[in-house]
Amino acid sequence: MTVVNVDIAEESRTRYLTYALSVVSSRALPDVRDGLKPVQRRILYAMLQNLRLTPEHAHRKSAAVVGEVLARYHPHGDTACYEAMVRMAQDFSLRYPLVDGQGNFGSLDGDSAAAYRYTEAKLTDIALEVLGDIGQETVAERDNFDQTAKEPVVLPSRLPNLLMNGSAGIAVGMATAIPPHNLTELVKGLLLAIEDPEITDSKLLNVIKGPDFPTGCLILNSRSELKTIYSTGRGAIRMRAAYELEKTGSGSRVRERIVISSVPYGIDKSDLIAKIADLIITRKVPQLSDIRDESTDIVRIVLEVSAGADPEKAMAYLFKHTALQQNFYVNLTALVPTANALVSRPEQLSLRAMLLHFIDFRIKVTQAKLQFERAKLSERIHLLEGLASVIDLIEQVIKIVRSSSGRSDAAQKLQKRFKLSEAQAYFIVDLRVYQLSKTSIEEVTGELEEKRKRVAEIDRILKSERAIKGEIAADLQRILAQYGDSRRSPVVSEFEEPEFDKEEYVQHEDAYVIVSRDGWLKRIRTTSDPQATRIREGDALFFVEAASTRDTLVLFTSFGNTFGTQVFDLSHTTGFGEPVQKMFRFGDGEQIVGALILKKENGDAATLSEPEMHAPEQAAFTFAAGGKPRKASPASNSHAAKAKAAELLLFTKHGYGFRLEQSALGLTKKVGKRVMRLGSNDALQGICPADGELLLLVTEQGYGTCFLLSEVPALNAGSKGVILQRVPDGDALCLARSAGKKSSVAVITADGKARQVDVAAMTIGSRAKRGLKVVKRGGKVIGLAPVQIVGR
């Protein structure tokens, strides 16, 4: 065994770069010349070269195609290979499909294709244009993976497949996302670029209006936006579903319906319909009453409009909250050829650069094709010239052949007698007797003259780049006449954005907001008993409060973040609700430690949770005198609901805290908002109203301190705060209460009992002290049980 010492850093770098280059060039990115990735190229090549699945032939099992591709050219998984072939057969994925599929090849509703043993396939007519003049030495070839066959480096495509059908892929450190375009517009753009290689982007945009998606959605980009996208190779295409209004019924029963006739490219129609249906069921879009999918080969989604409702407002909501409007993020990255015909490099291109690369490629392919044709013609002319030289001495030729001992002997004698080349001699020997007739001889001389003229014409074309471009232009004109079609996706550069006012979609009703300890959120009717609401096994109620659907629920987390959502957006269900991670982006281990309701009617009013109640057996309900829980109601709220909490106190387990104005809170995005900067290993422990004269703090080990609330500064959101209570290692600040001098607080200990702490009996000190032992029995403090508070 040989041991080689290597530097691990250098070896890792080398191997990773090798892997990255392999992914970039052999898997993820398409080639600018034929617009194909390696697996797609190999599928088309195998279907033509090995299986002869041309349009005029019958379909053949997809399993045969996949097997042939894997056996000869693509030593990868059969699933990935079949999926690539399926996509090339889907008319909703490719603007111009390259595979003619027979059987279930998936649908716009997200249905997957049937297994390859059930489906059949062959090439489409336009796929033959992508394969071009393959087999005529027009493109370079290389060995396959086991050196048993040759495969083309790129296909000699006659049309700009990369822009025509688009492409998408993710490589190592780069990606590509190229939208499909209309072939008619692309050909016109190529013809302009052939005439003027320095053509401007503005002139190209006169003929290439923008992407043309197979699903036929609207494109809402202005001309200047499209110019920027096509000049830089990056940008966002705004796609929107097309719709129209229909009226049904007559007289007083006339009703309106919205008919959606196209959807944005790349979406799952069934998921879209399910999302809209869910919005209708949960009454998020009161303007709509029902949805039906009446699609066949064309998209037809019917939305029933509620009596007297404005359908435009319904569409405004759907455009904002569903996939009826979304962006296609363009990234015109592709592999471009280098001086080495077998090597390509990735590059982000402009539209003009992509067209010019294709034209340069077509020039090289056309030159190679003409040179190949000229070589074949020269070979044929040479043979015909030999025949013509002995045409008048045909009797001597026959006599020599008859007297020869065999084919080789006859060829040698003819070569010596008439000064022919070996090829000419064998050509003459192999002629049949009837080919020596007068008619056949005239045909030979005519063919010879015709081929000499064609060689002269090819020589003329090869000497002139303009003539070669003329050949390319003529081929493009033929393609335009044969495959050109009209645009499916209208470009609407000037449009009126429907007005969206969220309040118009909110059903104003009262509800209970439920937050469980494990982070499940929902709202239920006020006629239901919140104490009996369903929660998951092992979970417990953390926050229950009456609110309006127009109010805002604000959550505080252990990571010092705050998240806000309108109560209307909470799941309206009698089930468990939805996990908070579905609405917001929580970090690993991030937990809810506090909650409050911001009232819509009065921005200064807030209903807070009792954040100290972390014991599983405790429910965050309002407590009447004696500590017996009762349900809150919209008409009669708890003490916490009545509190005008203009400020809140935020405190951490290490004893830090500050006052925060309630106006700093509100609705947030999914990522939330940083409300408190935490030290190492610290965590936000809770919140409480900052509306009393004093602040009472108690740690887990039962140490309490009390001081004037005015000693705590009011800071901006995102601050670290000041030391409220000195907390040694092994202990943690557990609860805080803003209280009056005659207040009493009952704290819960590990034995499950509540022990009362009287503020009047405590010494009023200053902050940053540890305090005295105020809870001496029952184990560590685990929560706070609110009791009737006097003197607030």
Side-chain angles (χ1 to χ4, degrees), residues 615-626:
E617 67 276 7
Q618 295 298 318
F621 288 106
T622 0
F623 278 73

Side-chain angles (χ1 to χ4, degrees), residues 423-477:
Q424 289 173 329
Y426 275 105
F427 174 67
I428 294 170
V429 169
D430 292 338
L431 287 174
R432 295 186 178 95
V433 175
Y434 76 86
Q435 291 178 293
L436 300 177
S437 66
K438 183 177 179 181
T439 303
S440 297
I441 292 172
E442 289 176 354
E443 290 177 357
V444 168
T445 55
E447 181 185 352
L448 180 59
E449 183 180 355
E450 179 185 339
K451 284 180 167 43
R452 283 172 175 168
K453 287 182 179 179
R454 177 57 181 164
V455 168
E457 183 182 1
I458 289 175
D459 288 339
R460 178 186 61 80
I461 296 173
L462 289 173
K463 291 177 182 178
S464 170
E465 183 176 334
R466 184 175 184 82
I468 293 175
K469 288 183 176 180
E471 292 286 308
I472 298 170
D475 208 25
L476 288 172
Q477 292 285 7

Side-chain angles (χ1 to χ4, degrees), residues 508-767:
H508 296 183
E509 58 184 26
D510 294 323
Y512 283 116
V513 174
I514 310 291
V515 181
S516 82
R517 184 195 60 206
D518 291 343
W520 287 75
L521 314 178
K522 65 178 176 178
R523 60 184 170 96
I524 60 175
R525 299 180 184 274
T526 53
T527 55
S528 304
D529 181 4
Q531 191 171 11
T533 190
R534 290 182 64 193
I535 58 175
R536 296 170 65 86
E537 184 177 355
D539 201 356
L541 294 175
F542 176 76
F543 176 71
V544 178
E545 189 56 60
S548 166
T549 50
R550 301 181 65 194
D551 297 340
T552 300
L553 169 66
V554 179
L555 303 175
F556 295 81
T557 72
S558 56
F559 285 13
N561 298 322
T562 181
F563 299 86
T565 182
Q566 195 169 30
V567 171
F568 180 71
D569 291 329
L570 297 176
S571 175
H572 187 266
T573 177
T574 57
F576 299 138
E578 291 182 343
V580 69
Q581 291 86 351
K582 187 174 181 180
M583 299 186 67
F584 301 113
R585 194 173 300 167
F586 272 38
D588 293 339
E590 192 168 6
Q591 295 181 334
I592 298 173
V593 297
L596 64 82
I597 297 292
L598 296 177
K599 294 292 184 180
K600 177 67 176 179
E601 291 75 11
N602 185 344
D604 292 333
T607 304
L608 282 82
S609 68
E610 294 293 349
E612 300 86 359
M613 296 186 62
H614 297 297
E617 67 276 7
Q618 295 298 318
F621 288 106
T622 0
F623 278 73
K628 182 179 179 181
R630 65 176 175 83
K631 293 190 297 181
S633 67
S636 177
N637 288 328
S638 64
H639 163 77
K642 296 176 182 177
K644 296 293 184 178
E647 289 185 332
L648 305 173
L649 175 78
L650 281 68
F651 60 95
T652 74
K653 69 177 186 179
H654 287 178
Y656 284 83
F658 63 92
R659 287 183 289 136
L660 176 70
E661 290 188 5
Q662 183 183 300
S663 58
L665 305 173
L667 297 173
T668 67
K669 297 181 179 179
K670 289 178 70 72
V671 294
K673 178 183 177 182
R674 175 72 69 185
V675 71
M676 189 172 191
R677 181 164 51 89
L678 302 174
S680 178
N681 298 322
D682 203 359
L684 181 62
Q685 192 78 331
I687 60 172
C688 72
D691 58 350
E693 180 182 359
L694 302 174
L695 180 62
L696 170 65
L697 305 173
V698 181
T699 71
E700 287 183 350
Q701 294 185 3
Y703 286 87
T705 182
C706 187
F707 54 87
L708 294 175
L709 183 63
S710 58
E711 291 191 40
V712 182
L715 303 175
N716 295 327
S719 302
K720 183 176 181 180
V722 298
I723 298 178
L724 304 178
Q725 183 176 9
R726 185 169 60 84
V727 180
D729 293 341
D731 200 359
L733 177 56
C734 182
L735 57 89
R737 162 71 71 177
S738 175
K741 293 183 178 179
K742 298 181 180 180
S743 299
S744 295
V745 175
V747 297
I748 304 171
T749 53
D751 60 5
K753 296 181 180 179
R755 288 170 170 77
Q756 186 166 312
V757 176
D758 295 323
V759 176
M762 298 183 67
T763 301
I764 308 302
S766 58
R767 68 174 180 86

